[in-house]
Every structure is written in structure tokens, then in C-alpha cells.
Amino acid sequence: MHPTALPIPAQPAAAWQGVDFDAGLLQRLGKSGPRYTSYPTADRFDEGFGYRDYLHAVAGLRTRGAARPLSLYLHIPFCDTVCYYCACNKVVTKNREKAATYLAYLKREIAMQAALLSNSSEVEQLHFGGGTPTYLSDAQMEELMAHLRRNFRFAPDAAGEYSIEVDPRTVSPERVHTLRAQGFNRISLGVQDFDPDVQRAVNRVQPESETRAVIDAARAAGFRSISIDLIYGLPKQTLDTMRETLDKVVAANPDRIAVYHYAHMPRLFKPQRRIIETEMPDSDTKLRMLQLCIERLGAAGYVYIGMDHFAKPDDDLAVAQRQGRLHRNFQGYSTHADTDLVACGVSAIGAVGATYSQNVKTLDEYYDLLDQNELPVARGWRLGMDDALRRSLIQKLMCQFEVSIPALEQAFPIVFRDYFAPEVARLRQMEDDGLLTIGEEWLTVSMKGRLLIRNICMVFDRYLAIQPDAPRHSQTV
Ligand code: SF4
């Protein structure tokens, strides 16, 4: 135990806007596990799946007839400097020429994807992630958005969800207005922590005034949703710094807040080796930080959506959850369920038809394959019936915290209690712990079970049973 840590006192579970915090249960059951942005999870994808398999999946969409709307993901991998906690696929460079080369290839990939898909379907969702999407200059972004519009049909601004991840250190208020004019209507800001000592400890110094100016500009520019990302578990963080950061975030009044648990895996992620481990809060303090986040955001009127996400009750995510329309994909929670996700850029992951496909991870491989006129698919997965069934079940659990057993039996040729007999037996222990109930018609996660939703989903993950989890996933709480 960390020398400054105090044991968490036994206390009854406290309910805050959709979730109960039960420290004892979380301490006992927290373990490492997938975040289920896909099922099977990306670490199970197969290198035997390549470009031609992807073409097959697209051909399958055509023969299936009714076209689904499209969701586009674009990965911009560049960053100016490295944040020590980073676990993303990125290229840290100050050489802007690299972005120009990348943009040329990215446009080529977009055109190839559009030739396959754009005739039938409209884009309802666009997400720019990274790296740092705003590493691109205004002019480069303009050129890229124009290229996208030449190649795809986009739903009107009022109907589409067009979002971009913004590092407030890289944009001025004027740039925020330009991004809105370029077509983005949602913005997500990486903040992590407002405390200057914490910021220095992770090499991401970002004055609060700069962040506030970006938020104010986003509001003035008419962005429909402003989201802030925080991280708990960083070096130099204490309950007091966390409290102050939360107060500042609540005062900034974003529509959505994501509070991620810092997963320290220095063997997997090199930048994390620069984090001084003795400066990190211990697991008891981290749990208290999570409790603080839940209580503070709940008291400020935010609803717990699931995993690490909170939203105002009138935000689209909260509305979609109440209406049973919430969906989860590689970018987290989403309101657009029935789309095919086309992903462009190095390491990007798409989900088309009953397949997943991931692009190669290095710039050289990416450029080489595009030079050969091939989509740069490195690996992927074709879902069988069992995968599709478990994906559907895990989606429901992650997004709605409940599953209708008759609905599942109607959609798939199974009898739930027979097919999932071993899983149901394992869930009984969780039922005894008060995490869920299994009735005749519904599997329902309790308020107490919501923070342990990954543990519940893991019971249904067939691949974890075949090959138990290596230390490649973060802690579930
Ligand atoms: S956290 Fe974001 S900005 Fe920082 S190095 Fe990683 S990708 Fe770049």
C-alpha cells in the first residue's frame, strides 16, 4: 500500500444518477479486462484476414440490398510532443512535412473506400481521432473535408454527428470557429487534469485559461455537444487535486464527460516508462477518486452512461440510452447504431457487415500497400453466428445494462438457458453479490453492478475462456 493511503471505510452503496458505488465490491472484484469496443476484442483479430476478405464483406453488403448508413473514422496519428500516459498509436514529430505526405495517402485510401461504398450509402457519422487531428493545419483540414465531400454523401448537419478530438494546446478560439465552419458539430477536448503539477508529471502542460477559451469558443461557434476527457490515477494526483479539477470541469459545463482510469502498462507502452511510479496514487486512492467523480458529477446533474462516461440528461447519449438506442463502437458510445464503420488511416479499425478489419500500424507499411493500390488491411475477423450472438448480448449489457432473453432467442437460433448454461452458472455468483438478476425474461444489471459491467461481459467472452487474458487490458475499475 502507498504510504499515504488510508483504507476505504466500509460504507453502504451510494446511488448517484444511475450507479451505486460499493467500494468493498469494487476492491474485491476489480481485475483487468477488455473495454468491449468490439467483440471479439481487437487483440483477437486474425492476420489471415486481409484486403480480399474486406472486399468480400463489402460485396456482401451489396447483395444484402438495403444499404445501411455509413460511419467514417479517420485516424491522424501525429502529435507535437508525447504525453507520458499515452497508449495510442501515434507518431511524435515536429516535422510537418510528414503530415503532408500522410494526407496524400489518406486521401487515396478515402477514394478507394468511396469507390466501394459511397454509391449506396450516406454518411451519418464522422469522427476524427488520433494522435492529434488538429496537428493538420487549417488548410490541410479544409482540403481533407472537401475531399471527403467529393467522395461521400453526407447527411445534413442537423441529422449527422460529425466529431473531432481536439488538443486544446493546438487550437485557438478562431480555429474552433473554423472547425465548425468546416462541418464539425461535436468536439471532444483532452483535458486529463487541470492541476499544473499533474500536467508537468505527464508532460502535458495545458493552462486552464487556454482550455476554457476553447470551450467558450466551441459554445459560441454552435457545436452541438462539447465533451471533456479526464484521467484519474495519474502521478501527483490526489483527492484534493481531483476535487479541484472536477469543480473546474463542472463550472465549464460540458455536455459529456469521460473519466478514464489510467492503465499503467509500461511494458506495452514505452512513453509510460517515463512516469515516476512512486508518484502515482495507490489503488485505494484511485477508488476514492472514482467515487469522488461519480458523486461530484452526479450532484452536478450528470447521468452515468456506462464505463467511463457521463452526460447531461438531455444530451443525445442519455436520451438514446433511455430509448434503448445506445450503441458502442471503437470511439466509445454512439447514438448511431445501425451503421457500417469505414475506418481510414494507419491502425484504424472498421466494422463492415459481419467483419472487423484493422489497418497496418506503421506509416511505411501503410504507404507501401496504398502504392500497390491495395487497401492497407493488416488483420481482421469474420464473425460467425456465435460471435454475432455474443456481440449483440455484450452490446446490450454495455449500453442498456439489460438483455431481453426472448428478444435474443428471436434474433438467434438458441434457447438462452441451454446455450449459455455454463455462463448462467457463473453469473449466479454475481447474482449473489447483487451485481445482477437473471429472471425468466430479463438479465438485468443492478446499479451496483454497473461499475463492474466489464466483469459481467467477460463471462460471455468465449475467447477469454479459450485463452485467458494476458496483461494487455486495463483494470475494470
Ligand atoms: S495522449 Fe494524445 S496528444 Fe498525447 S501523445 Fe497520446 S495521442 Fe498524442
Side-chain angles (χ1 to χ4, degrees), residues 79 81-83 85-86 88 90 130-132 167 169 204:
C79 298
T81 56
V82 67
C83 312
Y85 55 80
C86 184
C88 301
K90 80 257 164 221
T132 309
D167 178 344
R169 297 172 299 172
R204 188 184 171 110

Side-chain angles (χ1 to χ4, degrees), residues 19-189:
V19 63
D20 276 3
F21 185 90
D22 186 327
L25 207 58
L26 298 177
Q27 263 170 334
R28 181 155 62 84
L29 299 180
K31 59 179 176 178
S32 70
R35 303 173 60 77
Y36 292 113
T37 48
S38 68
Y39 179 82
T41 49
D43 53 317
R44 310 284 170 175
F45 293 173
D46 179 6
E47 287 180 6
F49 184 104
Y51 169 42
R52 275 158 199 86
D53 300 288
Y54 181 76
L55 293 183
H56 254 104
V58 175
L61 296 184
R62 289 209 203 94
T63 49
R64 203 179 55 200
R68 296 199 295 180
L70 292 180
S71 182
L72 290 184
Y73 172 74
L74 299 189
H75 191 79
I76 311 295
F78 303 103
C79 298
D80 254 327
T81 56
V82 67
C83 312
Y84 295 162
Y85 55 80
C86 184
C88 301
N89 189 287
K90 80 257 164 221
V91 177
V92 180
T93 176
K94 294 200 188 293
N95 178 359
R96 304 273 152 173
E97 286 293 306
K98 288 198 175 179
T101 307
Y102 183 74
L103 193 57
Y105 280 94
L106 184 64
K107 284 165 66 180
R108 218 189 274 184
E109 187 189 8
I110 290 167
M112 287 167 78
Q113 289 280 11
L116 294 173
L117 286 150
S118 67
N119 276 348
S120 47
S121 306
E122 188 175 63
V123 177
E124 279 189 356
Q125 202 176 32
L126 170 70
H127 185 85
F128 272 65
T132 309
T134 43
Y135 188 93
L136 298 182
S137 67
D138 264 351
Q140 286 172 327
M141 188 63 84
E142 189 74 43
E143 182 188 331
L144 183 52
M145 292 301 277
H147 183 74
L148 283 168
R149 288 206 182 84
R150 274 195 300 276
N151 281 278
F152 288 96
R153 269 184 304 121
F154 281 77
D157 182 70
E161 192 179 288
Y162 305 131
S163 61
I164 182 162
E165 293 169 14
V166 163
D167 178 344
R169 297 172 299 172
T170 62
V171 295
S172 62
E174 294 71 39
R175 175 113 201 239
V176 173
H177 283 267
T178 306
L179 289 170
R180 180 71 186 103
Q182 285 169 338
F184 296 101
N185 56 26
R186 287 164 194 277
I187 192 166
S188 149
L189 306 176

Side-chain angles (χ1 to χ4, degrees), residues 451-473:
L451 287 172
L452 289 161
I453 190 65
R454 291 156 81 179
N455 296 49
I456 298 170
C457 292
M458 284 162 77
V459 171
F460 291 99
D461 187 334
R462 191 166 71 94
Y463 300 98
L464 281 181
I466 296 169
Q467 188 190 352
D469 191 32
R472 62 194 149 194
H473 294 300

Side-chain angles (χ1 to χ4, degrees), residues 257-368:
I257 300 168
V259 188
Y260 297 105
H261 177 205
Y262 169 57
H264 189 59
M265 294 191 274
R267 267 191 298 171
L268 286 185
F269 306 113
K270 223 169 153 190
Q272 297 186 354
R273 293 176 201 167
R274 297 167 81 171
I275 281 190
I276 301 172
E277 292 187 358
T278 51
E279 292 183 346
M280 288 171 56
D282 65 278
S283 56
D284 287 346
T285 311
K286 284 194 286 185
L287 213 49
R288 283 164 175 268
M289 286 176 177
L290 174 63
Q291 180 176 17
L292 184 68
C293 293
I294 290 169
E295 290 178 359
R296 184 69 188 92
L297 298 181
Y302 287 88
V303 177
Y304 179 68
I305 297 294
M307 288 290 294
D308 348 72
H309 286 70
F310 298 80
K312 286 185 176 170
D314 57 351
D315 184 85
D316 286 353
L317 281 189
V319 174
Q321 186 170 51
R322 286 199 295 278
Q323 296 175 346
R325 293 185 291 107
L326 195 64
H327 184 70
R328 192 162 166 78
N329 65 19
F330 293 101
Q331 284 78 58
Y333 288 101
S334 153
T335 55
H336 290 252
D338 202 20
T339 57
D340 286 302
L341 170 63
V342 176
C344 297
V346 68
S347 80
I349 305 180
V352 167
T355 65
Y356 292 115
S357 51
Q358 179 168 30
N359 278 352
V360 291
K361 289 188 176 172
T362 67
L363 292 178
D364 285 344
E365 290 170 290
Y366 183 68
Y367 299 158
D368 280 352

